Amino acid sequence: MGLAAAATASSDDDDNNTPLLLSHPIKRTGTVWTAVAHIVTGVIGSGVLSLAWSIGQLGWIAGPFSILIIASFTLISSFLLSNTYRSPHPQFGPRRSASYLDAVHSHLGLKNGRLSGLLVNISLYGFGIAYVITSAISIRTILVSICYHTKGNEEVACEFVDAYYMLIFGAIQVVLSQIPNFHNIEWLSVAAAIMSFAYSFIGMALSIVQIKEKGYAEGSIEGISSRNGTEKFWLVVQALGDISYSYPFSTILLEIQDTLKSPPPENQTMKKASLISVVITTFFYLGCGGAGYAAFGNDTPGNLLTGFGSSKYYWIVDFANACIVVHLVGAYQVHKSSSSSSSAKPFFILRGVGYMDQRRHCVMSMY
């Protein structure tokens, strides 16, 4: 009872320690479903469209099995990490860890957290670069498709420069980055999650249609053949890397957990959200990857949508690419909200000192 009372008092103190940039106290109102929306937005990216190629390299047995194994490890690690949000007790501990680096510093010490901080920031900035490039490519693909089907085969007249669309994406992020903190982007995560479902369903559906038109499923147990054993080895390693990279959400888990209301205890809610999210993610990964490999076999493309670009369903592919852009706009904000909480001065956005940083300084001053 003493721990529970201390946790309640600490929660009240946290709400009253309003950051200087905000005019009202932060109230944690997140639920299981808002957490699921955040996780799905951060995890299911356009990389799901490359999993058909990954399964193709591994084959019908090793491919789905690898996805299930990596999903299991992701779920176990998320359960363990959710217990570090409060300390010293996972449910009633008075100290909160509002980010991954907060948890590292709290449990391993500031000195041991420096390497983790470097790796986390490299990962987050890597996500940001990938999102900018992928969004620009998707926008260009839509414009090329419209131009091609409008003007015929005049390829010279259908050339577009990616740099302009990167700048447009960046301008949108500058505007969205004025949202004060993670607590205020639930609507954006929900919209982005819907978009990720949309283009995943489209890729899966188009693959199933192609299988029905052929009358059979392609693929083999050993996967796509290669010229020699060395090349096959590296292709398998790359496929496993693609699958592994498409699952973890450790760097944003505690940020999401910090938005949850209590009671019930935040770690219990986060575990439920993690389970639901991993199940949803695995369904899409297996469905989209398996259907794509069955549709194309040895000719499975790195991006599943490119295999349908010249088909009669090109307008659906264009819509799917538009969904990718909208989803990555939201996913960028989810990851960069995490980045701004682990960096005192994020120089790529006009956020100033992020809410999480101010709150951490307030909490640290209490100890």
Side-chain angles (χ1 to χ4, degrees), residues 69-79 244 247-250 278:
I69 288 295
I70 293 173
S72 300
F73 281 119
T74 300
L75 190 59
I76 293 171
S77 65
S78 67
F79 283 2
S244 300
Y247 260 110
F249 52 97
S250 300
V278 170

Side-chain angles (χ1 to χ4, degrees), residues 205-217 294-295:
L206 290 176
S207 299
I208 294 172
V209 169
Q210 181 159 312
I211 295 170
K212 291 185 66 177
E213 290 177 350
K214 287 183 176 180
Y216 62 92

Side-chain angles (χ1 to χ4, degrees), residues 22-39:
L22 299 178
S23 59
H24 56 83
I26 291 297
K27 297 295 183 182
R28 296 177 177 84
T29 59
T31 64
V32 169
W33 297 110
T34 59
V36 168
H38 285 314
I39 295 172

